[in-house]
Amino acid sequence: MSVFNFSEEGISTFFLIGIPGAEHVHLWVSIPICFMYLVAILGNGTILFFIKTENSLHEPMYYFLSMLAFSDLGLSISSLPTMLRVFLFNATGISTDACFAQEFFIHGFSAMESVVLLVMAIDRYIAIYNPLRYTSILTSDRVFKTGFAFATLCILLVLPFPFILKRLKFCKKSILSHSYCLHQDVMKLACSDNRINIIYGFFVALLSLLNLMFISVSYVLILKIVLGITSHKGRLKVLNTCISHICAVFIFYVPIITLAALHRFAKNASPVIRVLIADLFLLVPPLMNPIVYSVKSQQIRNVILAKLCEKQH
């Protein structure tokens, strides 16, 4: 029998959970979740629309922002169906194939966001280190090629996940720890050897941490340049161009690092805390990134205000 098929004893359905012990308030919890998803989809969709249609936003920085908005949009859409089914209708069952497909998209868009944040850090470094050559170094053609190359790399990186899960045998355990599917969560339910999954999952997580390390190095170099500026006003002006990106990095990585720390150092922590932090990882970045960039970027803010004024007249 093929290693990609389940045996007759194998299960074919996984069961997701919402907030353990708080099933009676799931309907009320679904209201802010729906609101957050709606704002995230509208916000990121608006960012993509304005960057595509406004010539004043056809710059490397905003092209990278559109990549971030695209990954946020994908992250929201790939996790939305099961979360709403669990909290709105208490429909917790999900087929194994649908679960494997969902974890592929969630991990894929997460990897894409991590890489985009790294590229944006490099973009900020080039803009500060050599502002006169910035536009000649990061041409539109190079930006598009970079985006395509990294998107392809992210897809290839997470592509093995569904297949190495498919080869596992699931016998007794079928309850997952979240309201969506993750590779590390699904592989723990296997009753067959999952060492390949553990090794490859660790490799992917390590690459994500390497991205964070390179982002940190970029900001150390940026800080070195900033400290060399004699004018206090000049320092603040340069740092102000990085605030939006720094916020995006914190919003993305803080839930991941917190969850990893809980699993490593607080194994007796309440499952509710772990579930909430894991949900924040998917809910907060797509919600907050468009808000942060709209507030901090004067060009985007001016475009949005101009469009609103046009409609009022």
Side-chain angles (χ1 to χ4, degrees), residues 58-77:
H58 290 178
E59 298 176 8
M61 174 184 171
Y62 298 107
Y63 289 141
F64 290 129
L65 177 56
S66 68
M67 296 176 197
L68 184 67
F70 177 77
S71 60
D72 278 335
L73 203 57
L75 206 56
S76 295
I77 293 171

Side-chain angles (χ1 to χ4, degrees), residues 57-298:
L57 300 179
H58 290 178
E59 298 176 8
M61 174 184 171
Y62 298 107
Y63 289 141
F64 290 129
L65 177 56
S66 68
M67 296 176 197
L68 184 67
F70 177 77
S71 60
D72 278 335
L73 203 57
L75 206 56
S76 295
I77 293 171
S78 56
S79 58
L80 173 65
T82 56
M83 288 192 78
L84 289 185
R85 282 177 63 236
V86 170
F87 286 102
L88 268 178
F89 309 110
N90 198 32
T92 59
I94 182 172
S95 69
T96 52
D97 287 339
C99 188
F100 298 157
Q102 185 184 49
E103 62 87 24
F104 166 74
F105 285 111
I106 288 176
H107 286 294
F109 284 115
S110 297
M112 195 178 297
E113 180 146 351
S114 176
V115 169
V116 170
L117 288 172
L118 170 60
V119 175
M120 291 177 83
I122 297 170
D123 166 74
R124 290 298 82 208
Y125 171 71
I126 294 173
I128 294 168
Y129 176 73
N130 200 340
L132 297 177
R133 295 191 57 207
Y134 173 68
T135 53
S136 62
I137 294 172
L138 287 176
T139 62
S140 297
D141 186 53
R142 284 177 181 169
V143 169
F144 289 131
K145 285 180 179 178
T146 301
F148 179 78
F150 279 119
T152 304
L153 183 64
C154 290
I155 292 170
L156 293 176
L157 183 65
V158 301
L159 188 60
F161 275 157
F163 297 103
I164 60 178
L165 283 175
K166 190 87 172 173
R167 59 179 285 277
L168 297 177
K169 182 180 177 183
F170 300 91
C171 308
K172 299 177 182 178
K173 298 178 181 178
S174 60
I175 300 176
L176 297 170
S177 304
H178 307 292
S179 52
Y180 50 86
C181 296
L182 292 176
H183 176 261
Q184 60 268 32
D185 197 17
V186 176
M187 72 176 184
K188 291 177 182 177
L189 302 182
C191 56
S192 56
D193 187 3
N194 63 359
R195 280 178 295 182
I196 293 175
N197 300 73
I198 293 172
I199 293 168
Y200 193 73
F202 178 76
F203 170 71
V204 174
L206 184 63
L207 288 181
S208 182
L209 287 177
L210 282 175
N211 286 344
L212 180 58
M213 186 184 74
F214 289 136
I215 291 171
S216 302
V217 170
S218 296
Y219 273 102
V220 168
L221 296 174
I222 288 172
L223 190 60
K224 185 178 177 181
I225 296 170
V226 170
L227 291 175
I229 300 173
T230 54
S231 166
H232 178 69
K233 187 176 180 180
R235 289 180 184 178
L236 291 177
K237 185 178 179 181
V238 171
L239 286 174
N240 191 52
T241 64
C242 302
I243 289 176
S244 299
H245 179 257
I246 292 171
C247 290
V249 171
F250 273 96
I251 289 167
F252 181 76
Y253 278 104
V254 166
I256 297 175
I257 294 171
T258 304
L259 197 60
L262 283 175
H263 280 289
R264 180 66 181 86
F265 302 108
K267 294 183 180 180
N268 296 324
S270 169
V272 175
I273 296 175
R274 295 181 183 181
V275 167
L276 290 175
I277 294 173
D279 287 347
L280 288 175
F281 163 65
L282 288 187
L283 289 168
V284 174
L287 171 73
M288 291 304 299
N289 285 338
I291 295 173
V292 169
Y293 275 95
S294 296
V295 169
K296 291 303 298 177
S297 173
Q298 187 174 354

